[in-house]
Structure formats: C-alpha cells, structure tokens
Amino acid sequence: MKFLLVNAGQLLTFGGPSGPRAGAEMGRVGLCRGGSVLVDDGKIAAAGLADLVARHPDADKARILDIGGRVVMPGFVDSHAHPVFAAPRLKDFELRTRGKGYEEIAAAGGGILSSVDRVRGAREDELAERLGRWAARFIECGTTTLEAKSGYGLDLATELKCLRAVKRAGAHTALELVPTFLGAHAVPAELKHDPHGYVRRVCEEMIPAVAKEGLARFADVFCDRGYFSEPQAETVLRAGLDHGLRPKIHAEQLSRSGGASVAARVGAVSADHLDHAEPDDLAALKAAGVVASLVPAANYFLGLNRYPSGRRLIDAGLAVALATDFNPGTAPCWNMQFVLSLACTHLGMTPEEALTAATVNGAHALGLGATHGTLEPGRQADLIVLDTDDYREACYYFGGNLVSMVMKRGGIVHSDREYRA
Ligand code: NIG
Ligand code: FE
C-alpha cells in the first residue's frame, strides 16, 4: 500500500546524522512547512518539500491523505517500560498518599516484590491479553515502538512466562514491542538471605535460557541501594553480553550507586534514570557513547521535588532520550506527551530537545537508530499526525492527547477521523 500524505502544516523529519543526537544536535527537528511524505511498502519513500516528494516516480500511484495543515512527525519510541504486570499497586499508592516513601513501602512488603506475587499467579495468556490492552493505549497516544521489560517474575519459569507473553502480545498488536530481560530487578523473597545466589541464578540459568529461546534483545539490571550493587550489576550485564543480550541499566535512581560507570565499562546501549549522576558519571557515559535515558514520570508519580536535569546532560554533550518507565510502582503512565511536558517544565529541555529525545534518541536507546525515529527515506514508516499546526503544542498541553492519526509500518493503526484528498 502506498500513501502520499500532503499538506502537513509542519513536517518534522529529524533528518540528520546517523548516530544519537547529542548536545546542540538535539535542537534540530528537521522542520519543513507544507511538507509531504510518501510511504511505500511500510517504509518512507520520500519526505520533505511537497514539490520534491510529488516528483517521486511512485507519487501518483499512492492514495492521498490530506493532513489539513496539521503536524506530521515520527511516532514516539518509548525506550524504557515495564508493561508486563498483573495489577496496579493501589495499596502502595494509598500509603504514599499518606506520606510514606517508595523504599519504605518496599521494605514493608509492597514494592516490586508485591507485583511479583501477582505475576507468578497469572497465566501467560492473561499477561499477554493485559499487555495487548495497554498496547492500544500506547498507540492512541502516539507510541509506535515500546520496550517491554520482564522483571516481575524473578524465577526462571516466571521470567520466561513474562517474555513469552511479550512475544504473544506482540503478534497481535501494531505496537512494536522490544523485549528486555530484567531478572535482576530485585532479589526475590525466597532468596532474601542469598542475593549472590540469586545473581548466580540470573547469570547461569535465566540468561542462557532467555537467550536460547530468543526471548530478549537486552539485559537490564536495577543497580541501586537495596537492589543490586555495582559489581553485581556488572556481572549480570557481562553474562548477558556473553549470550548476545545488549546491556541497559537502571542507574543512579535512588542513590549514587555506580550504575553509570558500569554502563560505561560494559558499553551499555543506555543508562536510565540518572537522578543522582555526578559530573564524572556524565563524562564516562559520554566517552562510552551511552544514551542517557530520563524517565521523569517516575519522579512525578513518587511526588519527588527533584528531577534529573536534562539541561545539564545535554550541555555536557550527552544524547538524552525520554521514556515513560510505564510500571505499576513508579510510573503508571503510557502517554509520552506527558513526559514531553515534564521535560520542558522540570528538566530544562526545549520542545525541540524533548521531541528529539522521544523519537530519534529513543530509537538509539533501543538499538534501532538505523531504522526508527526519523522520517528519512528508507526508514520504517512509523509516524503520527498531531491535531495542531504547531509541534510545540505537543509539549505545552499536558494530561491530554493531541494524536489524531498513527501509522505503523506504513499502515494506519489509529485515526480519529477520515483523512482524504
Ligand atoms: O524504573 N527502578 C526500578 N524499576 C522501576 C520501578 C519498579 C516498581 O516499583 O515496580 C522504575 O522506577
Ligand atoms: Fe524502570
């Protein structure tokens, strides 16, 4: 199927260098006024000035979609999410509304381990069905690619069940799911007194089994006080690398725990959270080419007055990505537009930087930088139409949804109106 999108009031192509956009490069969105996009066979055939695109030999064979002066841009690539869980954590939420803290609640029997109990009791098809329902919400808010971490199983059978649920859900939704193995999310209750034994299990049983079944592309670890130490995190990520799983890491979220330096040493694709990262950490991440992923919806939901400084990271020359961190404990949010708002109001980022972080750099944070995240010829045709004539409104309005149409791999997968010539 060929589509020719015409009359985009603003077309953001994010055309530019092939690597993650760092520092000042994050300010360039590739804006074209009155642009067109030709989509052919799931890919972008041409994007840019209407006259040029109209001259493409296939342009006259395409079905025309009149965008009516709205904004066209790449779909959001949400590079950090934990969408495989069985229930919200309303008890934790209530305790927090009464002033208790995240770590305090976890120590008292809530937190990650309470989600583990529910996931162990759920069937694979139930988890997949639930994930499919979340996927529809992500799509209608403009996300076309989503990371899906395991990490609420914490034993071999349940971690495999979660990743198989991701695969099963992925076959039935237009949302592209990128699986990450996060067995090292917390030490399960049954091994509370033997955390090293659990790390051994993760490395020697779980990672080989996950890799053998081809169930994950990345391995992740929660490196923080009360979870996994710097040496444990490095051990897990190196075991992942030995089995072809590229490293990602939860780093410096609750405390400065050494995760950023692990990320640099193992060549992680991304280091995520970074609330407590110090200048040395930023320098190490930059030198190692690690994408810095910020997930401010977690700070928002935990009621923290402190946010990671996107400005400081960008000024240090890093490539910053933004993600939802969708999960039942710290970020029950599927809407990247809310994250854009937080980036501009609390992280010191401009709308251009926030949009770059939510598209191109999100793609790089998932190792998909060559095919996703921009609207350049040859890229996967994952794009959205915003019901506005000014892209900055995607960062300005918050708590709502400006997405009018979503195209994934060249097919219209969501639309709130008929776009016709
Ligand atoms: O990214 N930090 C670790 N993981 C999640 C929280 C998980 C949970 O509380 O269920 C996060 O914030
Ligand atoms: Fe997370």
Side-chain angles (χ1 to χ4, degrees):
M1 186 75 182
K2 299 185 209 307
F3 287 109
L4 179 62
L5 286 75
V6 299
N7 196 17
Q10 295 182 335
L11 166 66
L12 313 188
T13 66
F14 293 92
S18 60
R21 307 294 159 78
E25 288 170 356
M26 288 191 65
R28 295 184 208 121
V29 296
L31 173 64
C32 172
R33 289 177 202 280
S36 294
V37 182
L38 179 64
V39 172
D40 185 10
D41 198 20
K43 298 223 164 73
I44 305 291
L49 291 171
D51 290 353
L52 289 178
V53 175
R55 266 184 246 146
H56 188 284
D58 287 335
D60 58 355
K61 301 181 195 92
R63 179 174 150 202
I64 295 176
L65 303 176
D66 185 346
I67 298 307
R70 296 181 180 81
V71 171
V72 175
M73 61 169 282
F76 299 120
V77 180
D78 186 347
S79 59
H80 181 140
H82 310 243
V84 191
F85 56 88
R89 292 221 297 273
L90 297 172
K91 200 166 149 211
D92 290 15
F93 182 55
E94 193 193 328
L95 287 168
R96 273 213 323 287
T97 63
R98 297 179 193 282
K100 297 257 186 273
Y102 178 74
E103 291 174 272
E104 202 181 349
I105 293 167
I112 293 171
L113 296 186
S114 60
S115 287
V116 169
D117 291 339
R118 296 293 298 262
V119 168
R120 286 183 178 174
R123 290 194 318 269
E124 181 189 315
D125 62 316
E126 290 168 347
L127 293 170
E129 197 265 332
R130 224 184 137 78
L131 179 51
R133 276 188 280 136
W134 294 130
R137 296 188 188 263
F138 278 93
I139 288 173
E140 68 191 29
C141 288
T143 296
T144 45
T145 302
L146 176 73
E147 193 211 27
K149 299 180 196 284
S150 68
Y152 294 115
L154 310 187
D155 62 31
L156 175 63
T158 317
E159 286 293 312
L160 290 175
K161 176 173 74 181
C162 291
L163 291 168
R164 288 177 188 141
V166 173
K167 192 171 172 186
R168 191 192 274 235
H172 295 104
T173 169
L175 182 63
E176 186 172 343
L177 298 173
V178 181
T180 293
F181 168 67
L182 177 56
H185 198 190
V187 176
E190 64 275 14
L191 285 173
K192 184 163 79 182
H193 301 297
D194 186 16
H196 291 289
Y198 183 63
V199 169
R200 258 199 318 278
R201 255 184 223 185
V202 168
C203 297
E204 292 169 16
E205 290 173 19
M206 298 189 198
I207 286 175
V210 165
K212 189 166 167 222
E213 212 176 309
L215 287 172
R217 226 175 277 175
F218 299 97
D220 189 353
V221 53
F222 186 9
C223 179
D224 223 312
R225 66 180 177 211
Y227 294 87
F228 296 92
S229 67
E230 178 177 343
Q232 289 173 330
E234 184 159 350
T235 302
V236 168
L237 295 182
R238 290 205 186 278
L241 272 172
D242 287 345
H243 288 83
L245 303 180
R246 299 180 71 190
K248 286 171 83 72
I249 186 166
H250 283 70
E252 330 297 347
Q253 178 184 6
L254 308 171
S255 61
R256 185 169 187 240
S257 47
S261 55
V262 173
R265 281 200 297 280
V266 302
V269 183
S270 71
D272 303 29
H273 285 278
L274 299 174
D275 299 62
H276 296 270
E278 301 214 344
D280 285 356
D281 298 321
L282 305 189
L285 293 175
K286 185 179 172 205
V290 179
V291 175
S293 279
L294 302 181
V295 292
N299 300 61
Y300 168 84
F301 187 71
L302 294 179
L304 307 180
N305 292 320
R306 174 186 169 138
Y307 283 82
S309 171
R311 182 77 274 127
R312 189 167 63 107
L313 270 60
I314 295 170
D315 291 345
L318 281 159
V320 172
L322 287 168
T324 58
D325 197 10
F326 181 64
N327 77 76
T330 65
C333 169
W334 52 78
N335 191 342
M336 283 290 282
Q337 295 160 80
F338 178 61
V339 179
L340 294 174
S341 164
L342 284 176
C344 296
T345 56
H346 288 72
L347 272 54
M349 293 168 67
T350 65
E352 293 75 18
E353 290 167 342
L355 289 164
T356 301
T359 53
V360 199
N361 284 357
H364 282 283
L366 286 180
L368 297 173
T371 46
H372 294 55
T374 80
L375 299 182
E376 295 166 289
R379 298 285 176 133
Q380 192 160 290
D382 296 354
L383 60 82
I384 59 179
V385 175
L386 302 177
D387 191 17
T388 166
D389 57 8
D390 191 321
Y391 66 85
R392 293 171 300 180
E393 290 185 17
C395 304
Y396 168 84
Y397 291 107
F398 72 97
N401 181 15
L402 284 181
V403 172
S404 171
M405 194 253 266
V406 180
M407 189 175 269
K408 179 67 187 174
R409 293 190 177 101
I412 298 172
V413 296
H414 168 77
S415 188
D416 68 358
R417 75 201 70 206
E418 186 79 9
Y419 283 95
R420 287 175 203 259

